[in-house]
Amino acid sequence: MSDKNPTGKILVLGASGHVGRPLVKALRTKGEAVKAASRGGQPIEGAEGVAFEFGRPETFAAAFEGVDRAYVMLPGGYVNSRELLTPVIEAAAARKVKVVLQTAIGVDADDSIPYRQVELALIGAGVPYVILRPNWFTDNFLNFWKPGIDHAGALAVPAGEGKSSFVDARDIAASAAAALTSDRFDGRAFNLTGPQALGYGEAAEILSGIIGRKVGYTPIDDETFVGILTGAGVSEDYARFLAMIFHPVREGWTAGVTDAVETLTGHAPISVAQWAQDNAAALRA
Ligand SMILES: NC(=O)c1ccc[n+]([C@@H]2O[C@H](COP(=O)([O-])OP(=O)(O)OC[C@H]3O[C@@H](n4cnc5c(N)ncnc54)[C@H](OP(=O)(O)O)[C@@H]3O)[C@@H](O)[C@H]2O)c1
């Protein structure tokens, strides 16, 4: 099958976010017309901006205007994925818009998992689709765990000795760009991983080398973790949700390595060590 040459625009939700921003950039580099959605509706990476808000369906029509493909994801901090994403899937399906949906690795383990229910709604929606299920983002070391490294000199998460094949947000974005600009991957789901599984202790050693001082790893229990996060201003609901999704990490279920990034993008995924080098200045700041 060949790559499409569609005429419509691509709607990117969460366009100023960790995956959204590099995705907008990648699509613009491919010459696509992009509508970059966020609550503020400002232009992003040179793309036209559009105001869109989950839970406010009155914002959907303007966002989908002129669109034939959409990247649908839920920003971090929200726990009600089914309630917020299903109406977006319905809005896309009503307009015959292809959807590339970002969920998370492992959600297909049980059909009662809310993200899996969103996947099933998309599969049954009658439009072309691709599902991307990323593993834990490598970028979390900067975006979520850096304050702990700065204050306590250690990663403190309830991961036990479990390993994860962390995936770089740039690879998720590149995978999404491939899925949005070709019909070769339609009707499939991809578990996106990095090139190797690492424990948090091993990741801490890599970060130590880049930051230039010792970063430790302190495996903590769920309650301690929830306490740290709520103390840093995270809502209790979301903190408990994050604690819950460390259970599969402790069980070793996030350690698998796939070739999905390479299949979609044609290049090998970025390692944690490479990510750390590329983000050295921000990690040291
Ligand atoms: N982090 C991980 O390790 C991991 C692993 C697997 C899967 N995931 C999945 O990836 C998702 C997060 O991806 P990400 O980190 O790329 O997202 P993100 O950076 O948290 O997304 C932020 C973006 O969403 C927009 N946004 C925030 N609230 C909004 C609202 N109510 N309505 C419309 N737009 C809104 C923001 O713009 P404005 O604030 O300007 O609106 C910004 O553009 C999570 O939901 C999770 O399920 C994450």
Side-chain angles (χ1 to χ4, degrees):
M1 275 196 267
S2 62
D3 286 358
K4 280 167 86 177
N5 187 19
T7 51
K9 298 179 182 181
I10 301 178
L11 175 65
V12 175
L13 302 190
S16 58
H18 304 125
V19 173
R21 186 175 288 280
L23 173 56
V24 170
K25 220 169 165 175
L27 291 171
R28 300 252 311 146
T29 303
K30 284 174 178 272
E32 297 284 349
V34 177
K35 290 181 84 171
S38 65
R39 283 169 295 185
Q42 70 280 11
I44 293 163
E45 297 291 339
E48 166 191 352
V50 63
F52 169 93
E53 187 166 346
F54 290 99
R56 290 190 57 218
E58 64 272 26
T59 65
F60 294 3
F64 278 104
E65 176 78 43
V67 162
D68 64 6
R69 291 153 290 161
Y71 193 62
V72 175
M73 53 77 70
L74 190 67
Y78 296 86
V79 289
N80 44 347
S81 54
R82 189 162 51 90
E83 290 76 4
L84 292 177
L85 287 175
T86 308
V88 181
I89 302 292
E90 288 167 357
R95 295 166 174 83
K96 306 269 178 270
V97 167
K98 168 174 166 172
V99 173
V100 176
L101 172 68
Q102 175 180 302
T103 61
I105 204 155
V107 302
D108 53 329
D110 187 326
D111 284 355
S112 70
I113 293 174
Y115 249 155
R116 177 60 180 160
Q117 293 182 358
V118 180
E119 291 186 357
L120 292 171
L122 176 58
I123 291 166
V127 289
Y129 72 87
V130 180
I131 293 168
L132 302 181
R133 299 187 193 115
N135 205 340
W136 288 84
F137 297 3
T138 316
D139 310 67
N140 295 345
F141 291 113
L142 198 49
N143 299 324
F144 292 157
W145 316 133
K146 186 170 186 295
I149 296 172
D150 291 345
H151 291 121
L155 292 166
V157 292
E161 298 310 314
K163 294 185 183 231
S164 301
S165 48
F166 300 100
V167 63
D168 192 306
R170 292 171 294 181
D171 281 333
I172 304 170
S175 299
L180 285 160
T181 56
S182 169
D183 59 8
R184 284 178 294 145
F185 309 111
D186 287 4
R188 295 172 63 186
F190 294 89
N191 295 332
L192 303 179
T193 76
Q196 89 185 115
L198 294 175
Y200 279 80
E202 292 168 301
E205 276 179 35
I206 292 171
L207 297 177
S208 303
I210 294 292
I211 296 174
R213 62 183 160 76
K214 172 80 182 157
V215 177
Y217 167 49
T218 314
I220 53 177
D221 62 26
D222 285 7
E223 286 310 311
T224 309
F225 181 65
V226 169
I228 291 172
L229 290 185
T230 51
V234 176
S235 75
E236 174 148 1
D237 271 6
Y238 197 63
R240 292 207 175 277
F241 169 75
L242 289 178
M244 181 188 76
I245 60 176
F246 269 105
H247 172 73
V249 177
R250 291 192 298 273
E251 294 295 322
W253 299 337
T254 57
V257 171
T258 71
D259 60 4
V261 167
E262 185 145 13
T263 300
L264 284 154
T265 68
H267 66 70
I270 302 164
S271 66
V272 172
Q274 183 63 52
W275 172 89
Q277 270 177 25
D278 295 345
N279 289 278
L283 285 165
R284 288 184 194 129

